[in-house]
Amino acid sequence: SQWGEENLQALSIQEGEDVTMNCSYKTYTTVVQWYRQKSGKGPALIILIRSNEREKRSGRLRATLDTSSQSSSLSITGTLATDTAVYFCATDDNYAQGLTFGLGTRVSVFP
Amino acid sequence: DPKIIQKPKYLVAVTGSEKILICEQYLGHNAMYWYRQSAKKPLEFMFSYSYQKLMDNQTASSRFQPQSSKKNHLDLQITALKPDDSATYFCASSQEGTGSSSYEQYFGPGTRLTVL
């Protein structure tokens, strides 16, 4: 596996709290993508960070990338119940080649 | 309007039978993909096509055959179905850009296949 996690992680938090999830990858990549998958839906890209960026922000989302340790994190600030989903990190290095997904983190946000 | 259509949404099949999963994308993309997601494994890349040509195949079994009749279609034929094939199959697409080796992929809603 491209990714270091061994099990799907699960986090339960209350609305308004912040949450951070981590991924570590095994082989070189030029970009890390974070996808969110809500129940019964396909994954959707929420943020993408390139190897020349250490941090990327998009609204309440913040992604970091440490190429030296081959790890990435995704933080969500001020979570909402609608943030309830499974979050995946993914890498790909070439056009028209498949993404390699991590096992994901299941985040449940309670009102 | 849905940009990636997958049909059917649910599919039940008997062991040994053959099924075709349909995927159409209306995003104008020139690359399409199939992924599988089961309870036991994470999202798993299967195939990728670009301009209707196979680019990458990570599926060991020849029972899985993608079929591209049009640029915006990539169907998946599965023969000799087994219970282990039970999973949700996602179609995705992306657009070739410039200056980057990585591209956002847009996923369809999936087809949930159950093999009895």
Side-chain angles (χ1 to χ4, degrees):
Chain A
S1 170
Q2 161 79 325
W3 297 96
E5 315 105 310
E6 295 184 356
N7 297 295
L8 172 66
Q9 298 178 357
L11 302 171
S12 292
I13 56 176
Q14 273 199 309
E15 259 191 335
E17 292 183 353
D18 300 342
V19 65
T20 297
M21 57 208 89
N22 301 293
C23 282
S24 59
Y25 54 94
K26 295 180 181 178
T27 58
Y28 174 78
T29 187
T30 56
V31 70
V32 172
Q33 303 183 35
W34 284 89
Y35 283 78
R36 174 168 60 197
Q37 185 177 23
K38 297 197 173 185
S39 181
K41 307 287 186 183
L45 180 71
I46 54 174
I47 196 166
L48 179 154
I49 184 166
R50 302 185 190 280
S51 58
N52 62 350
E53 300 173 309
R54 293 188 61 82
E55 179 181 290
K56 184 81 168 285
R57 291 180 185 267
S58 176
R60 295 183 293 109
L61 305 175
R62 173 178 173 261
T64 66
L65 180 60
D66 184 339
T67 53
S68 63
S69 63
Q70 296 189 312
S71 63
S72 178
S73 72
L74 173 70
S75 299
I76 307 174
T77 56
T79 55
L80 304 170
T82 52
D83 292 326
T84 294
V86 180
Y87 293 81
F88 295 96
C89 43
T91 61
D92 84 271
D93 287 301
N94 290 291
Y95 165 68
Q97 292 192 356
L99 293 170
T100 301
F101 283 88
L103 292 173
T105 298
R106 185 181 302 278
V107 175
S108 300
V109 183
F110 297 95
Chain B
D1 291 334
K3 302 297 184 183
I4 300 182
I5 296 172
Q6 289 191 244
K7 293 185 257 189
K9 187 171 177 62
Y10 300 99
L11 187 57
V12 179
V14 296
T15 297
S17 66
E18 172 183 313
K19 292 294 180 185
I20 295 179
L21 281 55
I22 306 294
C23 177
E24 306 170 10
Q25 57 92 3
Y26 296 94
L27 294 164
H29 291 168
N30 45 34
M32 295 185 71
Y33 311 78
W34 278 103
Y35 290 83
R36 175 170 50 195
Q37 186 175 42
S38 66
K40 299 177 184 178
K41 295 183 180 180
L43 272 161
E44 184 182 17
F45 166 67
M46 299 177 72
F47 299 97
S48 63
Y49 268 64
S50 177
Y51 296 97
Q52 295 185 264
K53 292 186 178 179
L54 180 67
M55 297 293 288
D56 195 6
N57 177 359
Q58 294 294 324
T59 303
S61 174
S62 60
R63 297 186 298 107
F64 295 84
Q65 290 293 326
Q67 300 171 344
S68 181
S69 59
K70 298 180 186 178
K71 177 186 169 185
N72 68 326
H73 283 230
L74 186 64
D75 300 335
L76 181 65
Q77 179 185 40
I78 314 174
T79 58
L81 279 160
K82 303 177 180 180
D84 274 354
D85 297 331
S86 296
T88 300
Y89 291 81
F90 290 100
C91 175
S93 69
S94 69
Q95 175 63 27
E96 183 176 17
T98 57
S100 171
S101 64
S102 298
Y103 306 89
E104 175 180 2
Q105 294 187 17
Y106 294 79
F107 285 77
T111 292
R112 181 179 288 185
L113 172 66
T114 302
V115 183
L116 305 175

